Amino acid sequence: MDSSVIAACAIPEPHDDIEFESHEAAYSFYKDYAKSVGFGTAKLSSRRSRSSKEFIDAKFSCIRYGNKQQSDDAINPRPSPKIGCKASMHVKRRQNGKWYIYSFVKEHNHELLPAQVHFFRSHRNDDPLKNEVRIRRRKNLSSVSKLFGAYQNVDCLEGYMKNQHDKGRSLVLESGDAQLLLDLFMHMQEENPKFFYAVDLNEEHQLRNLFWVDTKGMEDYRNFDDVVCFDTTYITNKYKIPLVFFTGVNHHVQPTLLGCALIADETVYTFVWLMQTWYMAMGERAPQVMLTDQNNAIKAAIGAVFPQICHCFCLWHILEKIPRQLEYVSLWHDNFMVKFNKCIFKSWTEEQFEKRWWKLLDKFNLREVEWVQSLYGDRKYWVPTFMRDISFAGLSTMLRSESLTSSYDKYVHAETSMREFIKQYKMILEDRYEEEAKADFDAWHETAELKSPSPFEKQMSLVYTHEIFRKFQVEVLGAAACHLKKESQDETTTTYTVKDFEDSQSYVVEWNESKSDIYCSCRSFEYKGYLCRHAIVVLQMSGVFSIPPKYVLQRWTNAALSRHPIGERLDEVQSKVRRYNDLCRRAIILGEEGSLSQESYNIALCAIREALKQCASLNNSAETSACPNTSGSIEEENQYRNTSKERAPDLQVTGTDKVPRRAGAANTKERNHSSAVKKGKVTRSGDASVGAQEGFHLMGISDLGPTQPHNMMPAQLQNVVPTVFHNIMPTQFQNIASTHLHETRLPH
């Protein structure tokens, strides 16, 4: 492709009359030119004078210059950015020390990417001012020590105490915050009508809870719905805004924002409403695993809304509470933590855990401590011993600083106001888009470097995404520092002790060859989603030189976004990546040839349409006999998704009024809803409004099981405007359906 098709820019095209002070200056010029045109650069070669030892010759090129050197007997040839491009600039040094352009090749044999040029490694961090601004805005602006700084003056303190008295009744917002939120929702929905938001009102028609999620969050959940973390850290730590996040993780090990909420309190009602609303926004698909803090209200809500999922507590939530909850054992803290960690992380069986747990409590006299009792009662929610066959995809870590949810700390601090948060929320979305786009770009233009002759490393180099492959590669190399000893063997299982000399720890590994089942006491697969060095060394010594398919999660592979399961054979994944790379390169050549004339364009377009039609027909016919599974293992179909869809509470949409945004209320149908009063208990009604896709879903959550269609809304609740939204409510918010959460249905 001739670069003349690119619009003219401020950087001149290289020509013979240009001189440079040094070869580095020449390379800087070529980089600037490449950045303006749309390709990455590399220093191809340089040469020094034999007598003076100074540089006299240098050649710079496009990163796609040349061809990948690959031996004919390579088992798993990897993709390369080199595709035979000839674009380059050759410079030489004159006798006077100046450098001139000896030759310049302008034409490329591939598409130029001026809009994505900042992703090329040679152009990253080229703009110091832009990077400084980005670093400054990502910086955490305040420490946790300023938690209550917002309430230092008397007026704020009085308001805070009053709001504490009214806790559970309405969301505490400062003047103008409601308008800012509505402006954000209107703006987001105008940009994309699929933007989802929901409003929960109390019995006095005041704002109680808010939830929203952008289209990217819903799309990410469709691809990665296996593990979700519900983070209430900013509520627990008394931040100025009562913010909670739903967070997932994508195939590049990057956090995905699956929803935000502002909540009035931490009651069962609030969490049930929030879980039901989030469930509806996500297309009524429950996750396999949900991670939360240890909180009885959250525990009850998840048990009611998602009875079939695996609910677990984040490890760091438990561990960070120890110094606060067990303050009086601080004199023996180091010794206590050694014993505690041995009990929690080194207990291979439940019996072993039980023995060590009660011995620990007796040693430090903790049997009567209420919090310790709650830890034991909830042991199956957090103790690693009970986490076999569960995958957390890296979302449950020992330290908050290691968790993906901590990435939001760069944007939200203790004193962040609503106005500041709305700005930061937009930055979160922008950064998430950019980071994922960069990772996708690197996956296409860069290749993973093999660092050993290990068959495991070679096997996964084309299967895993770059970030996961680098993590797995560390485990492959670390296997060299492990020594195993066979402990026992029965008819099905062989047990080994693996000594890891890198951390001076010993681990138990069980290997069942007939079922290809392998378990390690370090539980890397459960918590990270890939096998550890201890399992690798056992496989290797057992004569197995490939990772069993069940231990390769599709969510970590290059086929993570495919709607089809990648099958049981890993070579199918490798073949798919090769086919994909080949088709992309051929498509670029077709684009070049097909764009030369209208006739060639019509031929190419017709061929593409026909090929796409035939491929889609073929793939759709194959899809009828296989259910997609983007998050589970390669070997097993994700049957959980079907059962959770059937058994999770069916959050019905009681009505959908399709009206243009900002249309008058007269265009909205009226709906009535009957209130319910149980004998001996008065049910407190709440109002809810949900907006999405240029209209609203009027949502009811009167039951924790499958909901029934509501009756018509009583006349006195029609056209109700919440107190906090007076004079600012768009007309589309003015018809609000009342909903009830029956107290008799709440779990006790």
Side-chain angles (χ1 to χ4, degrees):
M1 178 180 294
D2 195 317
S3 61
S4 63
V5 301
I6 306 298
C9 57
I11 305 300
E13 188 176 281
H15 56 85
D16 296 343
D17 298 334
I18 300 178
E19 285 191 338
F20 309 99
E21 294 296 326
S22 65
H23 73 289
E24 289 294 341
Y27 181 59
S28 296
F29 168 80
Y30 190 64
K31 276 180 61 180
D32 292 340
Y33 165 72
K35 187 174 182 179
S36 67
V37 174
F39 64 94
T41 62
K43 293 180 180 179
L44 192 62
S45 62
S46 61
R47 185 164 58 91
R48 294 177 184 265
S49 168
R50 291 184 178 180
S51 57
S52 66
K53 305 301 181 183
E54 294 181 343
F55 284 104
I56 59 173
D57 185 283
K59 189 172 184 179
F60 321 120
S61 69
C62 170
I63 60 166
R64 292 180 174 269
Y65 185 94
N67 295 290
K68 175 68 176 178
Q69 298 297 320
Q70 185 72 55
S71 60
D72 295 334
D73 59 347
I75 299 175
N76 292 314
R78 292 172 290 149
S80 168
K82 298 181 178 182
I83 57 173
C85 181
K86 300 296 184 182
S88 61
M89 187 177 82
H90 190 175
V91 295
K92 292 191 174 186
R93 185 174 178 267
R94 301 185 192 274
Q95 291 294 330
N96 62 3
K98 301 289 185 181
W99 289 73
Y100 69 98
I101 299 176
Y102 177 76
S103 65
F104 169 62
V105 179
K106 174 181 176 181
E107 290 74 21
H108 298 259
N109 69 344
H110 56 87
E111 182 182 7
L112 301 178
L113 305 169
Q116 292 84 33
V117 72
H118 58 288
F119 288 135
F120 287 108
R121 187 175 296 278
S122 57
H123 302 311
R124 293 176 190 171
N125 304 321
D126 276 355
D127 190 341
L129 180 60
K130 183 176 180 181
N131 288 326
E132 182 181 348
V133 171
R134 181 177 297 278
I135 292 172
R136 187 167 61 249
R137 85 171 150 79
R138 288 184 177 185
K139 187 178 180 181
N140 193 350
L141 301 177
S142 178
S143 66
V144 178
S145 63
K146 297 182 180 179
L147 284 176
F148 296 98
Y151 306 110
Q152 288 178 346
N153 63 69
V154 176
D155 292 336
C156 287
L157 183 59
E158 289 178 351
Y160 177 67
M161 296 302 295
K162 179 178 182 297
N163 292 332
Q164 284 296 96
H165 178 71
D166 292 338
K167 189 175 182 181
R169 293 176 58 84
S170 63
L171 184 64
V172 179
L173 295 176
E174 294 183 353
S175 176
D177 284 354
Q179 179 68 63
L180 292 172
L181 287 167
L182 287 177
D183 288 345
L184 171 68
F185 294 167
M186 292 298 97
H187 172 72
M188 296 294 289
Q189 199 173 58
E190 285 176 358
E191 285 190 341
N192 194 321
K194 294 183 179 180
F195 175 81
F196 183 100
Y197 60 92
V199 179
D200 176 41
L201 307 175
N202 64 14
E203 63 277 8
E204 296 175 359
H205 316 305
Q206 293 177 323
L207 182 63
R208 178 163 49 197
N209 301 302
L210 273 173
F211 169 81
W212 69 95
V213 59
D214 73 319
T215 308
K216 182 67 165 60
M218 292 183 274
E219 178 184 338
D220 286 336
Y221 184 73
R222 283 194 294 270
N223 294 320
F224 306 101
D225 63 354
D226 51 344
V227 188
V228 175
C229 180
F230 177 60
D231 189 9
T232 56
T233 301
Y234 304 123
I235 297 280
T236 306
N237 291 342
K238 310 295 184 185
Y239 276 40
K240 192 173 183 179
I241 53 176
L243 184 66
V244 297
F245 289 113
F246 289 89
T247 304
V249 56
N250 67 12
H251 53 316
H252 299 302
V253 202
Q254 298 169 337
T256 57
L257 185 55
L258 307 179
C260 305
L262 297 171
I263 60 177
D265 54 49
E266 297 181 78
T267 61
V268 175
Y269 171 88
T270 289
F271 290 127
V272 167
W273 178 87
L274 187 53
M275 293 297 168
Q276 289 268 28
T277 305
W278 179 79
Y279 174 64
M280 186 174 76
M282 296 298 116
E284 300 188 11
R285 282 181 14 178
Q288 296 180 37
V289 178
M290 182 167 283
L291 289 159
T292 72
D293 189 5
Q294 184 190 22
N295 181 296
N296 287 333
I298 297 176
K299 181 180 173 183
I302 292 179
V305 179
F306 303 122
Q308 301 300 319
I309 75 170
C310 179
H311 176 206
C312 300
F313 301 151
C314 290
L315 270 178
W316 68 263
H317 273 296
I318 301 294
L319 298 177
E320 75 167 5
K321 291 179 182 178
I322 292 177
R324 182 171 68 253
Q325 295 287 347
L326 303 179
E327 186 176 3
Y328 66 92
V329 299
S330 58
L331 293 176
W332 307 279
H333 181 267
D334 291 341
N335 188 30
F336 170 78
M337 289 308 300
V338 170
K339 300 292 185 182
F340 181 84
N341 288 335
K342 180 180 179 180
C343 173
I344 300 305
F345 299 108
K346 297 296 183 180
S347 296
W348 181 238
T349 64
E350 295 181 20
E351 294 76 14
Q352 197 174 40
F353 165 77
E354 293 280 345
K355 181 179 179 181
R356 289 175 175 174
W357 178 263
W358 295 115
K359 184 178 179 181
L360 175 71
L361 267 56
D362 290 337
K363 181 178 179 63
F364 293 95
N365 195 25
L366 298 174
R367 279 183 179 260
E368 304 304 319
V369 179
E370 185 177 351
W371 181 68
V372 175
Q373 293 174 356
S374 72
L375 284 184
Y376 179 76
D378 291 333
R379 61 192 180 281
K380 294 187 178 180
Y381 288 81
W382 66 279
V383 177
T385 307
F386 300 91
M387 299 300 146
R388 182 173 285 201
D389 298 323
I390 297 174
S391 179
F392 295 116
L395 282 176
S396 182
T397 59
M398 293 180 61
L399 299 173
R400 173 170 168 77
S401 59
E402 298 174 350
S403 69
L404 292 179
T405 56
S406 67
S407 63
Y408 303 127
D409 294 346
K410 296 181 291 186
Y411 308 94
V412 182
H413 58 88
E415 298 178 6
T416 299
S417 66
M418 186 63 67
R419 184 179 297 275
E420 291 171 338
F421 169 69
I422 288 175
K423 293 179 181 178
Q424 293 301 313
Y425 173 71
K426 295 177 181 178
M427 293 301 179
I428 292 174
L429 299 183
E430 177 186 322
D431 290 346
R432 293 288 87 81
Y433 274 105
E434 183 173 344
E435 289 167 8
E436 184 173 351
K438 175 183 173 297
D440 288 337
F441 185 88
D442 287 346
W444 169 244
H445 290 88
E446 297 183 4
T447 59
E449 178 186 359
L450 297 180
K451 297 182 179 181
S452 76
S454 168
F456 301 107
E457 185 183 11
K458 183 178 292 186
Q459 174 197 14
M460 305 312 297
S461 63
L462 269 183
V463 177
Y464 279 149
T465 60
H466 283 2
E467 185 62 28
I468 284 294
F469 177 72
R470 283 191 286 267
K471 293 177 181 293
F472 177 75
Q473 194 174 48
V474 172
E475 299 303 313
V476 171
L477 299 177
C482 295
H483 175 73
L484 80 165
K485 178 183 178 182
K486 186 175 179 180
E487 297 291 345
S488 63
Q489 183 175 4
D490 57 26
E491 295 180 357
T492 59
T493 304
T494 305
T495 303
Y496 297 88
T497 297
V498 178
K499 173 71 174 179
D500 189 335
F501 290 97
E502 188 169 321
D503 63 5
S504 300
Q505 298 286 335
S506 294
Y507 300 90
V508 179
V509 180
E510 288 183 355
W511 166 240
N512 185 324
E513 185 174 1
S514 62
K515 295 182 179 179
S516 295
D517 288 342
I518 191 163
Y519 297 100
C520 179
S521 61
C522 79
R523 297 177 177 86
S524 172
F525 181 74
E526 286 81 356
Y527 282 88
K528 299 176 183 178
Y530 51 87
L531 286 185
C532 61
R533 61 191 66 185
H534 320 118
I536 290 173
V537 74
V538 168
L539 290 175
Q540 184 172 310
M541 295 303 294
S542 301
V544 179
F545 299 104
S546 62
I547 302 298
K550 67 173 67 177
Y551 295 107
V552 181
L553 301 184
Q554 182 163 341
R555 63 147 26 259
W556 293 141
T557 70
N558 289 309
L561 302 183
S562 172
R563 68 182 189 273
H564 301 288
I566 57 181
E568 298 183 7
R569 295 172 57 85
L570 293 181
D571 55 3
E572 293 178 5
V573 184
Q574 297 168 333
S575 298
K576 178 179 178 179
V577 174
R578 294 193 195 98
R579 293 194 298 266
Y580 178 84
N581 292 339
D582 183 62
L583 286 174
C584 286
R585 290 171 183 143
R586 292 177 186 272
I588 292 173
I589 298 174
L590 177 62
E592 294 171 359
E593 294 295 330
S595 62
L596 295 179
S597 68
Q598 185 62 43
E599 291 76 11
S600 62
Y601 169 78
N602 292 337
I603 293 174
L605 185 61
C606 181
I608 289 175
R609 286 175 173 171
E610 182 61 27
L612 181 61
K613 180 180 178 181
Q614 293 184 21
C615 289
S617 176
L618 178 65
N619 292 332
N620 288 335
S621 62
E623 189 176 25
T624 58
S625 59
C627 179
N629 172 24
T630 62
S631 302
S633 67
I634 293 175
E635 186 178 75
E636 298 176 356
E637 294 287 341
N638 184 3
Q639 297 178 355
Y640 170 81
R641 184 174 299 168
N642 295 329
T643 59
S644 65
K645 181 73 178 290
E646 294 171 0
R647 298 185 182 183
D650 184 11
L651 186 62
Q652 300 289 345
V653 176
T654 61
T656 302
D657 299 329
K658 293 292 183 179
V659 295
R661 289 190 301 277
R662 305 187 187 280
N667 292 333
T668 310
K669 296 180 181 180
E670 297 179 352
R671 299 192 181 273
N672 296 332
H673 187 285
S674 62
S675 59
V677 179
K678 295 293 181 181
K679 184 176 181 180
K681 294 186 179 180
V682 178
T683 302
R684 307 178 71 178
S685 64
D687 301 327
S689 174
V690 181
Q693 304 185 19
E694 295 190 303
F696 315 88
H697 300 295
L698 304 182
M699 182 184 65
I701 54 171
S702 61
D703 292 311
L704 297 181
T707 59
Q708 301 300 325
H710 294 299
N711 296 328
M712 302 304 289
M713 185 172 65
Q716 64 267 28
L717 291 183
Q718 294 176 11
N719 299 319
V720 174
V721 181
T723 304
V724 294
F725 284 170
H726 272 314
N727 301 322
I728 62 172
M729 286 287 285
T731 54
Q732 69 196 67
F733 279 93
Q734 292 178 2
N735 289 330
I736 302 169
S738 176
T739 60
H740 309 292
L741 182 66
H742 297 317
E743 295 178 3
T744 54
R745 291 297 190 93
L746 293 179
H748 295 288

